[in-house]
Every structure is written in structure tokens, then in C-alpha cells.
Amino acid sequence: MNQPVDLTERTLSRKDLYEGLLCRVHVDEVLLPNGHTSQREVVDHVDGVAVLPLDERNNVLTVTQYRYVFGKLLLEIPAGKLDEGEDPVTGALRELEEETGAVPDSLLPLGVILPAPGCYGEKLHLFLARGLRMEEQSPDPDEFLQVERIPFPEMVHRCLNGEIEDAKTVAAVLKAKVQLNL
């Protein structure tokens, strides 16, 4: 058996470049395990939540929105950032209701994913919502969404064939597929 190797990189210095509403950007000089140094560009982003809402017919409530960074519309599950100190369950319930108007009877954790751990410091808490009752949608003032119901098997197919590119949606759909055996 191989002996465990210490792969830890140690921060030697940090240069802050930007601080905004959602993220901070900095460049760190790090000491590598082999004794050399390198730079790490880091975007510290607030943590978030994403919810896979399944109705009584196993349709997924999705939202389509324009994503400026990629210059196109993306089909996604409802998601958003957590407020400072906010419990992920509370944030998930809030985002689901704001974006779709859905309020669930149950909310099952699907785990945490790290969307882009090479440079992006965000944890995304995934949930599965069942027993949906519909109330009024109330998106943020700068949020423009189209809500649609898509059969769960079709969502799985779209994730597997690459039609759905959003990482949180792909992860939540495939986790739910395995956990629920749908």
C-alpha cells in the first residue's frame, strides 16, 4: 500500500482584487507539496441552494431564464443564494416559493455540491421537494423566469444527452433518479 501523501497547499500571501455583492476575488501565492510556489485565482461566492420540485405526477417544476454570462437561456431547477447566516432549508423553501410559487409538504436533502472547486468557493445545497401546493410566484425585481412542468424521465434524458448543461440541475436530477429509483 502507498503511504498517504500530504497534498495540502499552504497560503503564503493574498492579494484582494475585487469585492462585490455576491463575491470577492483574490489571488493567493501558495506553497505546493513539492516546495515550489504557484498562484491560485479564487472567487469566494456566497453559498446557495437548489430545489428539484416534483409534483404528484412526477413532473419537475423548472425555470428558464437568460444567463448573461453565457448569453443564452438555460433550463434549470429553482435556485438562489443564501442570506448571511440563513439555514439552507429556509433558503430552499424561500427560493422555491419565490421562483415557482410552490410550497412543499416535504423537503429531502440531496447533499452538497461544489460547482467549480478549481477556483470558485461556493457550496450548493441540493433538495428534493414533494407534495407541492401552488401559491403566488414572487421573483426578485431583477429576475425574469418562465416556469414549466417537465416529466421527470424527460429531465433525466435531457441531462444525459447534454441538453441541460446547468450543473446543479444535472446533479439534482441524477441524484433523485438514483435515490427514488424513478
Side-chain angles (χ1 to χ4, degrees):
M1 273 180 97
N2 293 336
Q3 292 295 324
V5 177
D6 183 4
L7 301 174
T8 306
E9 297 179 1
R10 290 170 176 73
T11 306
L12 298 173
S13 65
R14 172 167 292 169
K15 180 179 179 182
D16 294 321
L17 300 178
Y18 173 79
E19 184 164 348
L21 297 174
L22 296 177
C23 66
R24 292 187 326 258
V25 179
H26 56 91
V27 177
D28 293 353
E29 182 179 3
V30 298
L31 179 64
L32 301 173
N34 65 1
H36 294 116
T37 60
S38 188
Q39 288 192 334
R40 298 291 181 245
E41 296 174 356
V42 179
V43 178
D44 290 321
H45 191 282
V46 297
D47 290 344
V49 293
V51 183
L52 177 70
L54 273 179
D55 70 12
E56 69 284 351
R57 295 185 175 167
N58 283 335
N59 292 311
V60 179
L61 267 68
T62 64
V63 294
T64 298
Q65 58 187 315
Y66 183 80
R67 290 301 193 174
Y68 179 82
V69 172
F70 292 100
K72 64 181 179 179
L73 294 171
L74 291 180
L75 182 112
E76 307 173 29
I77 58 174
K81 68 177 185 70
L82 287 170
D83 294 331
E84 189 172 333
E86 185 176 28
D87 176 66
V89 169
T90 302
L93 293 169
R94 174 181 44 77
E95 287 295 333
L96 178 61
E97 186 172 7
E98 283 178 6
E99 293 189 3
T100 68
V103 177
D105 288 334
S106 68
L107 195 64
L108 171 72
L110 291 174
V112 175
I113 61 171
L114 306 175
C119 67
Y120 198 64
E122 177 188 20
K123 291 180 184 175
L124 199 51
H125 302 263
L126 303 178
F127 294 92
L128 171 67
R130 305 290 305 257
L132 307 178
R133 67 180 186 283
M134 300 308 293
E135 296 188 1
E136 191 170 329
Q137 180 186 17
S138 58
D140 293 332
D142 63 348
E143 197 169 41
F144 301 91
L145 309 165
Q146 178 182 329
V147 178
E148 181 180 1
R149 290 178 191 253
I150 299 175
F152 186 76
E154 183 179 334
M155 288 292 291
V156 172
H157 176 74
R158 289 184 184 190
C159 287
L160 292 175
N161 75 10
E163 185 179 337
I164 296 176
E165 299 173 290
D166 175 60
K168 67 185 174 295
T169 300
V170 172
V173 167
L174 297 182
K175 281 177 168 252
K177 168 101 176 113
V178 171
Q179 286 189 11
L180 299 176
N181 218 5
L182 291 174

